[in-house]
Amino acid sequence: MSESTLRIGLVLPDVMGTYGDGGNAVVLRQRARMRGYDAEIVDISLSDPVPDSLDIYTLGGAEDSAQRLATRHLQRYPGLQQAAGRGAPALAICAAIQVLGHWYETSSGERVDGFGLIDVTTSPQDKRAIGEVATTPLIPGLSQPLTGFENHRGGTKLGGEATGLARVTRGVGNGVGDNLEGVVQGSVIGTYMHGPALARNPELADLLLARALGVDSLPPLDLPEVEQLRRERLRA
């Protein structure tokens, strides 16, 4: 992190912002500021190269055509891969998981090469997963249920280098019969949960923030409205 400002990369919101996932960057910025850190969002559009110098990166969902545009852009400008290689945390939502994997198939059966940052492959499933999803986290630093809204047809298979973010208690998750949701590999965390995911899961937001800030933990925030939102969504 720079000495004065936490820089949060919002990657390709012009093509990977279909489901409001840009809100994850806003949540990170606000939770950092509420603890006294200066923080800013750096928008990275299709007209920009992807810098490798930011402190944390967020990527959102997209439809097939936009997903292909994003894939080509990230292959051309490998700043995200370079940043992840040095340990900068990245949050990948839905289609972004597929883009970061080895390959994904579109709904029409076209196979598109990703760039292999995470060890996953994705193929269309017979039935689209739409609705609330709840999970039990599987990684250190997370103890509370994760909740979100899934809307995808892709089934994502994890390779040997990747592990699941969580185990599904309600909903579909990765959709390949292993009862897992999301992916974790190195500094990358991926999930199919929209919502935005970090608004609904403050513990996950703070885990990513702590990693970006280079601290073991962050002081808690007293935000009753966030806890009320979590209770409502977990009941949904």
Side-chain angles (χ1 to χ4, degrees), residues 190-226:
T191 176
Y192 276 103
M193 293 184 292
H194 303 286
L198 299 187
R200 295 177 59 157
N201 300 286
E203 189 179 47
L204 177 57
D206 286 349
L207 175 68
L208 289 163
L209 270 181
R211 291 179 178 180
L213 292 164
V215 299
D216 292 331
S217 62
L218 293 166
L221 298 174
D222 184 17
L223 298 172
E225 64 275 19
V226 174

Side-chain angles (χ1 to χ4, degrees), residues 30-155:
Q30 184 63 15
R31 292 184 73 85
R33 287 177 174 178
M34 293 180 76
R35 293 179 168 98
Y37 295 97
D38 188 18
E40 66 179 17
I41 296 173
V42 178
D43 285 344
I44 305 159
S45 72
L46 281 176
S47 60
D48 304 314
V50 181
D52 64 4
S53 57
L54 304 182
D55 301 301
I56 186 169
Y57 296 77
T58 66
L59 305 91
E63 304 300 333
D64 285 351
S65 58
Q67 194 174 353
R68 284 193 291 270
L69 288 172
T71 302
R72 287 196 293 267
H73 191 79
L74 293 172
Q75 288 169 336
R76 181 181 180 188
Y77 299 108
L80 174 62
Q81 299 94 304
Q82 294 164 0
R86 63 171 169 81
L91 175 68
I93 304 294
C94 197
I97 295 174
Q98 303 169 18
V99 170
L100 300 189
H102 297 301
W103 53 260
Y104 60 90
E105 288 185 13
T106 68
S107 57
S108 63
E110 177 190 359
R111 182 173 290 195
V112 180
D113 288 334
F115 50 84
L117 183 58
I118 53 178
D119 188 13
V120 305
T121 56
T122 303
S123 301
Q125 303 302 291
D126 293 336
K127 185 178 180 182
R128 192 171 188 86
I130 302 177
E132 292 291 318
V133 60
T135 68
T136 300
L138 295 174
I139 64 172
L142 297 179
S143 60
Q144 300 175 6
L146 298 169
T147 172
F149 186 87
E150 59 184 351
N151 183 0
H152 64 96
R153 193 181 163 199

